[in-house]
Amino acid sequence: MTGREARPWWRDAVVYQIYPRSFADGNGDGVGDLAGIRRRLSHLVELGVDALWTSPWYVSPMADGGYDVADHRDVDPLFGTLEEAEALIEEVHRAGLRIIVDLVPNHVSSRHPWFRAALAAGPGSPERGRFHFRAGRGADGELPPNDWTSYFGGPAWHRVTEPDGTEGEWYLHLFAPEQPDLDWEHPDVRADFEHTLRFWLDRGVDGFRIDVTDALVKEAGLPDRADHRPGTPLPWADQPGVHEIYRSWRRLTDSYPGERMFVGELWTPDPERFARYLRPDELHTAFNFPFLKAPWDAEELRGVIDGTLAAHAPVGAPATWVLSNHDTTRHVTRYGRRDTAFAFDGGSRHADPVDLRLGTRRARAAALLSLALPGSAYVYQGEELGLWEVEDLPAAVRQDPTLRQSGESDPGRDGCRVPLPWSGSAPPFAFTPPGAARPPWLPQPGEWKDLTVTAQTGDPSSVLELYRTALRLRRAEPGLGDGSLAWLPAAPGVLAFTRPGGLTCVVNLSAEPVALPEHEAVLLSSAPLDGGLLPADTAAWLRTTGPGR
Ligand code: NOJ
């Protein structure tokens, strides 16, 4: 066995992210669910991905779309039942795919039995020891215990009313107040997550996506951010003690048959510190957010690609290539703006004009780029349809807690979570079944009639058929996926590289058409070629006589 079949699947896999609330609704309540995923599994098979990752389906009050987990070892009735999850895992495997589930270890829901017990038990109780409860500052404890802020806006602390009715302690929440942070120094916390890992491994899942991977361990004493020394990790992120947790998890997954894996959600900016999580006895992979954040610019992208490969090489981990997810502005929209970079910027780019035609053209080229790079790739549901960020959702229908916590200055992440259009000429585009009791939980734009799966199927110029063809070629081409890359000389604004076996990828990010490098055949292009020229904002895969051929 040589090449891909000899490697663990996760080194090459193309993973499709399902955000369950917005994928497909099976029971007609307007919210996506497990029945919907099971009914639409054939879409993933026809698309040609290797695996799927589902955002949380666990019991949750949905204060943060399911990232506020009240029971990690059961399914929320909104999504279905545990039996349905088990059936889905089996069906995914029968379809020849793998499945990764989400794990949310930094915090739980404020409705989690542990947190309810902690509130009831009062200050100094063992129950509070599983969380970060502290007395406030100020004469009456009326000020938060430190100056940390929540990722969603406002202070990272919430004051509780004690069982005797007095204003009491504060608890830490790096996200919404409904998401109290766990204290990972507490043995119960560690034991409970091992239990959860085993629970899902026993049910056959192939891996876990780890939410806010670097935040679990906090700096001792919870020092103020104001005292933070430049060049050291922030007191709530990337603390040395977090690595031991992942080493113990790795030992656990390695004790299971099959090739179970982890993918970390790591926004750690320093490449060397990022790579520490990917040492051979820690996580297998992590999301490549520098790639997602990069602007549509050849030099910047080349810098990120080289930086990514250089960071991963010493630890022997495969890179991942990610363009969008359920937290970030869809890349059709990003690439159609003047400033094409992504940042969590409090929504400041939200009102910028967008050229969706240009954004779509670039998104098509970006798909061929990311699927040709060495390693594994992620496809966020709807990117294979060319969906854009729905920026004109009225505030009244938006549900992301960011909107509220930012005092409405940040519109939040609902715009990338609008339910998928499957078929038909008007909303709900078969997202809900016929006769559904409720409309989709967020309204879909009428223009998506041209972007439904049915409308695009069989149209060779559609985004969907581009993805299907690219994924078919990627599977057939032994040099794609994990492995080496060699850059080719190219004009300014152009990226050109070749993979073992002689597949060359060229991306023209300049404003002018450019000549194609020498080749035997054009396998695929993201837009029609102009004679022998590659038009602006276009990518092509070429068959070349390359190393190893
Ligand atoms: C990252 C998840 O992707 C995001 O959706 C969530 O809001 C936060 N972590 C908190 O769990």
Side-chain angles (χ1 to χ4, degrees), residues 286-500:
F287 296 123
N288 183 351
F289 292 128
F291 186 67
L292 182 154
K293 289 165 83 175
W296 187 247
D297 175 273
E299 229 173 285
E300 299 250 14
L301 278 168
R302 170 134 184 195
V304 168
I305 294 166
D306 283 337
T308 299
L309 298 176
H312 286 73
V315 286
T320 68
W321 306 98
V322 185
L323 291 167
S324 280
N325 66 25
H326 64 293
D327 293 328
T328 57
T329 312
R330 282 193 179 272
H331 57 278
V332 163
T333 297
R334 288 195 328 256
Y335 292 155
R337 286 177 178 160
R338 201 173 49 78
D339 179 352
T340 51
F342 174 77
F344 289 108
D345 58 359
S348 68
R349 288 174 175 83
H350 185 72
D352 288 358
V354 181
D355 178 342
L356 287 177
R357 268 177 80 98
L358 179 64
T360 303
R361 188 176 175 87
R362 290 174 171 169
R364 294 173 63 103
L368 295 199
L369 169 63
S370 61
L371 293 173
L373 287 167
S376 144
Y378 282 77
V379 175
Y380 174 49
Q381 65 177 38
E383 86 172 57
E384 81 283 16
L385 304 178
L387 300 190
W388 58 79
E389 183 84 4
V390 184
E391 298 198 282
D392 57 0
L393 290 170
V397 304
R398 289 184 179 266
Q399 297 196 13
D400 183 3
T402 315
L403 178 74
R404 168 173 43 89
Q405 266 179 251
S406 68
E408 307 219 345
S409 64
D410 187 332
R413 302 161 293 177
D414 294 299
C416 64
R417 300 173 175 179
V418 172
L420 292 196
W422 291 95
S423 61
S425 54
F429 298 122
F431 169 73
T432 50
R438 316 265 319 248
W441 68 280
L442 287 172
Q444 303 153 301
E447 298 94 312
W448 281 6
K449 69 181 190 327
D450 300 325
L451 299 184
T452 65
V453 174
T454 305
Q456 297 195 46
T457 295
D459 173 358
S461 70
S462 69
V463 179
L464 179 56
E465 292 297 351
L466 179 76
Y467 269 82
R468 285 177 174 165
T469 307
L471 289 168
R472 201 174 56 240
L473 285 171
R474 182 180 157 109
R475 272 210 181 150
E477 199 57 44
L480 290 185
D482 196 16
S484 61
L485 158 160
W487 290 105
L488 299 175
V494 177
L495 297 174
F497 58 88
T498 188
R499 303 294 318 274

Side-chain angles (χ1 to χ4, degrees), residues 229-287:
R229 278 179 296 118
T232 62
L234 290 162
W236 60 83
D238 196 26
Q239 297 298 312
V242 79
H243 294 284
E244 184 41 42
I245 298 171
Y246 297 128
R247 279 190 212 107
S248 71
W249 288 10
R250 179 67 179 255
R251 287 193 293 275
L252 196 156
T253 50
D254 281 354
S255 73
Y256 273 77
E259 296 166 342
R260 320 291 179 111
M261 56 79 83
F262 291 109
V263 54
E265 189 213 9
L266 273 175
W267 292 88
T268 317
D270 177 304
E272 194 273 324
R273 299 193 71 95
F274 171 93
R276 288 185 200 174
Y277 292 82
L278 302 179
R279 290 177 288 201
D281 60 348
E282 295 194 37
L283 308 181
H284 306 74
T285 55
F287 296 123

Side-chain angles (χ1 to χ4, degrees), residues 64 67 107 152 175 179 209 211 265 326-327 413 417:
D64 182 22
Y67 282 93
H107 43 264
F152 292 163
F175 295 91
Q179 293 165 298
R209 176 263 187 195
D211 195 60
E265 189 213 9
H326 64 293
D327 293 328
R413 302 161 293 177
R417 300 173 175 179

